[in-house]
Amino acid sequence: MYYSIVHNSRYCVVLRDGVAEALIMELPTEALADEVAFQLQIAWYDGESCGKDKMKKQLDPDGYHLEISNAIKHIKNKSQRERKQHHDDMEEQRRSQQKEVRQQVLRLKR
């Protein structure tokens, strides 16, 4: 985080990262130090926001987040019995796929 301080009649901009602080520049007026710290912090937030947007696009390039969100809501709204049935169906599908893979492997060994 960027902020401005007055230290020994000097106007400074400081960067604090949660562990340490570093004086990054000294400026001639308090107003200028305040403005520089403000602009640096805004740029930091813009960079974070841009990075988050870029990461979202990398993780979901086709924009399926709404569809996924609706599917999760649909599952949450199901009753306990419906959830159990869905779980059992998924388990059966997994077992079936495993059986199919085993059969393919056995065919390859022959």
Side-chain angles (χ1 to χ4, degrees):
M1 173 163 205
Y2 295 94
Y3 61 97
S4 63
I5 60 169
V6 178
H7 181 66
N8 295 335
S9 299
R10 299 180 328 178
Y11 308 105
C12 305
V13 175
V14 176
L15 171 62
R16 177 184 292 164
D17 70 355
V19 176
E21 284 184 359
L23 178 89
I24 58 171
M25 66 180 75
E26 185 177 328
L27 296 156
T29 65
E30 185 176 9
L32 184 58
D34 289 344
E35 183 64 23
V36 168
F38 173 75
Q39 292 298 332
L40 285 170
Q41 192 62 43
I42 292 299
W44 178 270
Y45 289 147
D46 287 347
E48 277 186 335
S49 177
C50 179
K52 287 177 186 175
D53 291 342
K54 188 175 181 181
M55 182 60 69
K56 283 180 187 177
K57 287 181 182 177
Q58 283 179 339
L59 293 173
D60 187 17
D62 297 327
Y64 289 112
H65 67 279
L66 184 60
E67 188 176 329
I68 293 167
S69 176
N70 288 338
I72 290 171
K73 286 178 188 174
H74 177 69
I75 289 173
K76 283 183 176 181
N77 290 334
K78 287 184 175 183
S79 69
Q80 186 66 25
R81 185 180 56 77
E82 289 172 322
R83 285 188 211 164
K84 173 95 171 88
Q85 182 62 43
H86 178 74
H87 176 74
D88 292 344
D89 292 344
M90 292 294 109
E91 280 295 312
E92 180 60 35
Q93 184 180 2
R94 184 184 62 81
R95 281 190 221 106
S96 174
Q97 287 174 345
Q98 285 179 342
K99 183 179 177 182
E100 191 175 307
V101 169
R102 281 190 191 105
Q103 289 173 350
Q104 288 175 352
V105 168
L106 289 173
R107 273 187 245 137
L108 289 173
K109 284 184 176 181
R110 294 180 192 172

